[in-house]
């Protein structure tokens, strides 16, 4: 019914974790980035991860859209880490994520045991980095889809979690500035070059070449959007009625 991605990541224990703690840098052993959406997926997740040797001690959301914030449903004892712009957005739009989740659930006939509670939210440095075991996760700003957003780069294992960018199933959804969106694609390009696997928020994980192709297609799409094309050629695989609807919304927002 929907394609959303959550990424679990872990790294070996840090030799220098005491030093890391002394510097005040957060240090974790296993992390869940973004979240599944459906209640049965969230219920199955802790057991599924544990059997694969992942015991998350940290949750991270790439941005403050409701479909990325559900990690605490699976791991209620953990705080949710987000970049400062996402934390600011949550404060500026109190209850918005909860309302949007409720509306989507109603549309999809999804029932939940309880409404979404964000609990303790932890502000992460963006741009910046956090320690995962003995390794480092880079946090890069990624705004334009929304006014907040970050991409998470795990350089040691070649994985880039792009948030809601570089999707093979969704055209760029430009809810913040077109210029910001372009700047984010430019910032992501060298990260994609350095990655082996790129995981978008929605759609499939890509190898580097596929992600670079999608990035080019998205730049072309933004050009067409900026020209105000009513019916631009949409990329192969994304030329659907739903994506035409998203395009019409993009055009409307930029008017
Ligand atoms: Zn999303």
């Amino acid at each position: 019914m929907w394609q959303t991605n959550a990424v679990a990541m872990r790294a070996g224990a840090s030799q220098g974790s005491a030093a890391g703690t002394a510097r005040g840098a957060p240090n974790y052993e296993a992390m869940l980035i973004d979240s599944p959406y459906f209640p049965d997926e969230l219920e199955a997740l802790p057991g599924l991860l544990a059997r694969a040797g992942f015991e998350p001690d940290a949750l991270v959301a790439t941005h403050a859209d409701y479909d990325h914030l559900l990690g605490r449903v699976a791991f209620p004892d953990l705080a949710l880490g987000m970049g400062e712009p996402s934390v600011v957005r949550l404060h500026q739009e109190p209850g918005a994520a909860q309302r949007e989740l409720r509306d989507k659930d109603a549309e999809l006939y999804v029932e939940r045991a309880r409404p979404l509670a964000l609990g303790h939210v932890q502000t992460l440095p963006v741009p910046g980095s956090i320690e995962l075991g003995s390794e480092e996760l880079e946090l890069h700003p990624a705004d334009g889809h929304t006014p907040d957003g970050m991409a998470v780069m795990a350089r040691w294992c070649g994985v880039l979690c792009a948030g809601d960018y570089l999707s093979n199933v969704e055209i760029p959804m430009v809810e913040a500035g077109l210029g910001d969106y372009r700047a984010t694609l430019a910032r992501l390009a060298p990260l994609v070059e350095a990655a082996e696997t790129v995981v978008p928020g929605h759609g499939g994980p890509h190898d580097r070449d596929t992600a670079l192709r999608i990035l080019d297609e998205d730049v072309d799409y933004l050009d067409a959007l900026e020209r105000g094309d009513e019916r631009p050629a949409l990329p192969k695989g994304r030329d659907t009625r739903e994506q035409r609807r998203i395009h019409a919304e993009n055009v409307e927002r930029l008017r």
Side-chain angles (χ1 to χ4, degrees), residues 99-140:
R99 269 195 307 281
E100 283 167 23
L101 178 67
R102 215 170 49 218
D103 289 347
K104 192 64 170 181
D105 284 346
E107 181 192 326
L108 299 178
Y109 306 159
V110 169
E111 292 180 336
R112 291 181 200 273
R114 55 191 66 82
L116 174 64
L118 293 175
H120 178 60
V121 169
Q122 191 188 0
T123 305
L124 303 176
V126 182
S129 65
I130 45 180
E131 286 178 30
L132 185 65
S134 55
E135 306 293 347
E136 186 186 64
L137 282 176
E138 303 167 19
L139 308 178
H140 298 270

Side-chain angles (χ1 to χ4, degrees), residues 24-41:
N27 186 295
Y28 305 105
E29 307 234 314
M31 183 170 284
L32 180 71
I33 301 168
D34 289 338
S35 60
Y37 171 78
F38 291 101
D40 55 348
E41 297 172 320

Side-chain angles (χ1 to χ4, degrees), residues 118-184:
L118 293 175
H120 178 60
V121 169
Q122 191 188 0
T123 305
L124 303 176
V126 182
S129 65
I130 45 180
E131 286 178 30
L132 185 65
S134 55
E135 306 293 347
E136 186 186 64
L137 282 176
E138 303 167 19
L139 308 178
H140 298 270
D143 51 332
H145 161 54
T146 53
D148 61 325
M150 67 177 180
V152 182
M153 177 72 174
R155 214 173 271 273
W156 85 93
C157 61
V159 173
L160 172 65
C161 300
D164 281 357
Y165 298 88
L166 307 178
S167 169
N168 59 313
V169 295
E170 199 167 72
I171 62 168
M173 238 189 236
V174 187
E175 294 175 16
L178 189 59
D180 294 337
Y181 204 111
R182 284 188 189 283
T184 287

Side-chain angles (χ1 to χ4, degrees), residues 38-85:
F38 291 101
D40 55 348
E41 297 172 320
L42 288 157
E43 195 185 317
L45 188 63
L48 184 81
L49 289 180
R51 281 194 294 280
F54 290 78
E55 308 252 4
D57 56 4
L59 305 173
V60 163
T62 55
H63 59 296
D65 277 357
Y66 68 94
D67 52 325
H68 298 257
L69 299 177
L70 303 176
R72 285 190 71 253
V73 178
F75 298 98
D77 297 335
L78 300 182
L80 181 63
M82 280 188 280
E84 191 176 6

